[in-house]
Amino acid sequence: MRIGALAQLSGLSTQTIRYYESLELLPDPERTPSGYREYASDAAQRLRFIRDARAWGLTLGEVQTLLSMKDAGRATCSHTLAFLDHHLAEIDAQIERLQAARAEMSEL
């Protein structure tokens, strides 16, 4: 499929897809004789995973680690859970800081 169709299926812009490709989060697509990118059918699923992982708070480096492990055939569930647990702890700490700041502001 071409990049426009992939963008629609994944919910990402063509620019973002090219960026992820440049970071090697997405394998290089085949090229048509005229130079258009032709993506494999599983590219949309991979991009949705990247999009969702970013929404969960994972960095692109963490996403790359998970994808590399998956590509190598290694299980990623425990690593994914560890990343998510780490980010949940960060969110909880941020909520505590915000609640303390809110309490201080209310006192003013």
Side-chain angles (χ1 to χ4, degrees):
M1 87 183 75
R2 297 233 174 117
I3 196 166
L6 182 59
Q8 276 189 311
L9 284 174
S10 66
L12 298 170
S13 70
T14 57
Q15 229 175 1
T16 300
I17 293 170
R18 287 187 193 104
Y19 176 63
Y20 289 166
E21 190 180 317
S22 74
L23 295 177
E24 299 179 356
L25 294 172
L26 192 63
D28 287 334
E30 297 292 321
R31 295 283 183 153
T32 64
S34 56
Y36 288 103
R37 290 170 167 88
E38 248 339 288
Y39 291 91
S41 59
D42 63 343
Q45 181 180 357
R46 188 175 180 105
L47 285 170
R48 283 192 295 269
F49 171 78
I50 295 168
R51 181 198 64 206
D52 293 346
R54 295 289 293 140
W56 300 330
L58 299 182
T59 67
L60 287 175
E62 291 167 332
V63 172
Q64 177 63 45
T65 299
L66 291 173
L67 290 173
S68 295
M69 289 169 40
K70 184 178 179 184
D71 292 343
R74 294 176 44 206
T76 59
C77 291
S78 63
H79 286 74
T80 303
L81 291 175
F83 284 137
L84 294 177
D85 285 343
H86 172 74
H87 285 287
L88 285 172
E90 288 179 353
I91 289 169
D92 289 340
Q94 184 177 12
I95 289 170
E96 287 179 26
R97 287 190 303 272
L98 288 170
Q99 287 175 332
R102 185 183 193 287
E104 286 181 39
M105 291 176 88
S106 292
E107 289 179 19
L108 294 175

